[in-house]
Amino acid sequence: MSKINKAKVLNVLILIFATFPIIPNSLKGLPVILLFVGALFIFKKHKFNWKWLLINSSLFIVYAISVLYTNDHSVAFKKLETGLSILVIPITFFGLLTHFKVSNNLKQLFIKIFIVSTTLFSILSSFYIIFYNSSLNYIWSTDKYRNIIIEMPLIGQHPIYASIFLAISIIFFFYLFKQKLFKNYKEILLFLTLVLINLVLLLFLSSKGVILALCIIIFFLFILTNSKKTHKYLTIITFIFSLIFLFIYNRRMNELVSAQTYEEFNPTLSTSVRLGIYDCSWTIITKQLFTGYGVGDAQRELNLCYSNKSDLLLMHRYNSHNQYLDIIIKTGLVGLFIFLGFLLINFRYAIKNRNHLLVMILILYCILFLVENVLSRQSGVILFFFLICFFNNSERPLVKSI
């Protein structure tokens, strides 16, 4: 293959990830495999970038070490299989493709395709909910909508992961808009329409953590990029009224400010259930603080605590619903410090290179890690580590920095 053909093949393999929201769940890992195999054929003899390879695969290494002292090895190896992308994606970008630099054109095309594919996911899920049950009362029920979207054939997602797709597409739009990367007003209008469709679905799903994280990112984006005081004041006022509207008129958001949520354990309130989960998480963490229980025994320890607290928690076998707590339970404070180091080093690199898109993605996920085990499923772990490695390896913007 000529150099040009190799580059084209590599670009196509990367752009497959832009269709991630609509790739069938049984094939979510296929883009990782295709890119890895393609990189093997394109590979040139050169030194691995061991620094970034080890930094970005450090979580998998810590998980693998924990297998040595965990009891349930069958569960442990299943967890490692789910998280294998944590190792494979960094090897692909920082081992096999160190000679490759993501061009600005490829980055922009990736972003636009991702927005389109996310909108297609929104449209398909909306049609599915309508045809699933014709009752309008059923359609406007957030909880039922969240349950039905899980059951959607082929591309059905847990609401948190679907919401992450939607939030990222909205961030992508603001990035393109602020960087003035749209060709004309028609293209702006087109993508604005697509993003509004995604925003509607995001509000339907009402994933509290994703909505709050997105609001915070957009708020600071407008505050930092607007020099006029009137624009800043308008942004602040809009932000405050938007939050007030969400907390008052959305039941799931209202739980966060309701006294009933915090008075006692209430299985009918999702936030109250989370508090019960966090209570058990902290209880077992204090018993094995430094090394954790290993990737194979974390859920078992949580279930033992649930059995003394709530039949509901035990029946659903909830995970810790906090990525940081999950890492402590599995690998202790040692694992947490390594994971935080991975985040901070990437964050510092992004700021140093004025990679604002990578900064926003990191902030989004760092906030989401507080309320969800994002890296417990392939839909979460593949997209997160691909975006980190992909934008870490991209060229600086040619236009004026935001």
Side-chain angles (χ1 to χ4, degrees):
M1 295 175 60
S2 67
K3 292 182 179 180
I4 296 178
N5 287 337
K6 287 182 179 180
K8 287 182 178 179
V9 170
L10 185 58
N11 288 346
V12 170
L13 294 176
I14 287 176
L15 290 176
I16 292 176
F17 282 89
T19 65
F20 194 75
I22 55 174
I23 293 177
N25 293 320
S26 60
L27 300 176
K28 286 296 189 194
L30 184 59
V32 179
I33 297 172
L34 292 176
L35 182 60
F36 179 74
V37 173
L40 286 175
F41 281 100
I42 298 171
F43 174 71
K44 294 181 179 179
K45 290 184 178 180
H46 57 276
K47 292 182 179 180
F48 278 28
N49 188 337
W50 287 107
K51 173 186 174 181
W52 284 107
L53 197 162
L54 292 174
I55 288 171
N56 288 287
S57 62
S58 57
L59 181 61
F60 184 88
I61 296 171
V62 174
Y63 281 166
I65 293 173
S66 75
V67 175
L68 298 175
Y69 57 85
T70 197
N71 292 316
D72 195 332
H73 289 92
S74 62
V75 173
F77 286 119
K78 287 181 181 178
K79 295 294 183 182
L80 289 180
E81 181 183 356
T82 301
L84 193 58
S85 298
I86 304 174
L87 178 64
V88 175
I89 293 176
I91 288 177
T92 303
F93 277 97
F94 304 111
L96 304 177
L97 298 177
T98 53
H99 63 285
F100 174 75
K101 201 72 173 177
V102 176
S103 68
N104 288 305
N105 289 335
L106 177 61
K107 182 168 66 174
Q108 292 171 34
L109 184 58
F110 175 89
I111 290 172
K112 290 178 181 179
I113 293 175
F114 188 90
I115 294 174
V116 172
S117 62
T118 307
T119 306
L120 184 57
F121 173 85
S122 297
I123 294 172
L124 290 173
S125 59
S126 298
F127 274 111
Y128 183 73
I129 191 69
I130 291 172
F131 288 110
Y132 187 93
N133 192 299
S134 59
S135 171
L136 291 177
N137 291 329
Y138 198 85
I139 292 174
W140 289 100
S141 173
T142 296
D143 287 340
K144 292 178 180 177
Y145 194 100
R146 289 168 64 87
N147 290 331
I148 292 174
I149 203 170
I150 296 175
E151 301 171 5
M152 188 166 57
L154 298 179
I155 61 173
Q157 287 290 335
H158 186 285
I160 186 69
Y161 296 102
S163 298
I164 290 173
F165 298 159
L166 300 166
I168 291 174
S169 73
I170 295 171
I171 291 173
F172 280 172
F173 171 79
F174 279 105
Y175 172 78
L176 293 175
F177 182 77
K178 282 294 181 179
Q179 290 281 14
K180 299 179 181 179
L181 297 176
F182 289 113
K183 297 178 181 178
N184 48 52
Y185 286 106
K186 290 183 179 179
E187 190 175 39
I188 294 176
L189 183 60
L190 170 62
F191 278 91
L192 177 60
T193 303
L194 299 181
V195 165
L196 287 176
I197 294 173
N198 293 337
L199 180 60
V200 170
L201 179 60
L202 180 62
L203 294 176
F204 262 118
L205 294 177
S206 296
S207 293
K208 301 184 288 292
V210 178
I211 292 175
L212 288 175
L214 183 62
C215 288
I216 291 170
I217 291 171
I218 294 176
F219 170 73
F220 282 106
L221 177 64
F222 274 90
I223 289 294
L224 294 174
T225 56
N226 284 318
S227 57
K228 294 183 179 180
K229 288 186 177 181
T230 54
H231 290 174
K232 290 186 177 181
Y233 292 146
L234 181 61
T235 300
I236 294 172
I237 293 171
T238 304
F239 177 75
I240 293 173
F241 275 98
S242 298
L243 288 183
I244 292 174
F245 176 82
L246 285 171
F247 280 116
I248 293 178
Y249 293 101
N250 185 281
R251 180 190 61 78
R252 288 178 55 82
M253 299 294 290
N254 184 256
E255 289 180 12
L256 294 174
V257 294
S258 174
Q260 184 182 1
T261 301
Y262 306 97
E263 289 174 351
E264 60 182 9
F265 180 75
N266 187 338
T268 63
L269 301 176
S270 63
T271 304
S272 182
V273 171
R274 282 179 180 270
L275 293 177
I277 294 171
Y278 295 155
D279 183 55
C280 271
S281 297
W282 281 113
T283 298
I284 66 173
I285 283 173
T286 56
K287 298 177 181 179
Q288 199 76 13
L289 181 61
F290 293 102
T291 59
Y293 298 89
V295 291
D297 297 340
Q299 190 61 51
R300 185 192 65 183
E301 294 297 326
L302 279 172
N303 293 340
L304 289 174
C305 181
Y306 294 156
S307 64
N308 297 320
K309 187 176 186 66
S310 167
D311 292 336
L312 176 71
L313 296 179
L314 181 60
M315 179 179 67
H316 288 282
R317 297 172 60 86
Y318 288 112
N319 58 36
S320 64
H321 277 64
N322 181 302
Q323 192 64 59
Y324 305 111
L325 294 181
D326 179 67
I327 291 173
I328 299 176
I329 294 171
K330 291 175 178 176
T331 61
L333 288 178
V334 175
L336 177 64
F337 289 147
I338 290 175
F339 183 65
L340 292 177
F342 148 72
L343 293 174
L344 288 173
I345 292 172
N346 274 282
F347 191 76
R348 181 186 176 189
Y349 173 84
I351 293 177
K352 181 180 178 181
N353 290 277
R354 294 182 297 171
N355 192 333
H356 298 94
L357 188 54
L358 181 56
V359 170
M360 287 188 285
I361 290 172
L362 282 167
I363 293 175
L364 174 71
Y365 276 99
C366 285
I367 296 174
L368 294 181
F369 289 157
L370 291 169
V371 295
E372 193 64 47
N373 288 17
V374 178
L375 306 181
S376 64
R377 301 189 186 189
Q378 281 196 331
S379 293
V381 70
I382 291 176
L383 184 61
F384 172 68
F385 278 92
F386 174 81
L387 292 177
I388 296 300
C389 295
F390 177 71
F391 290 116
N392 179 298
N393 201 36
S394 62
E395 296 177 354
R396 287 188 181 188
L398 296 177
V399 297
K400 185 179 179 180
S401 173
I402 62 174

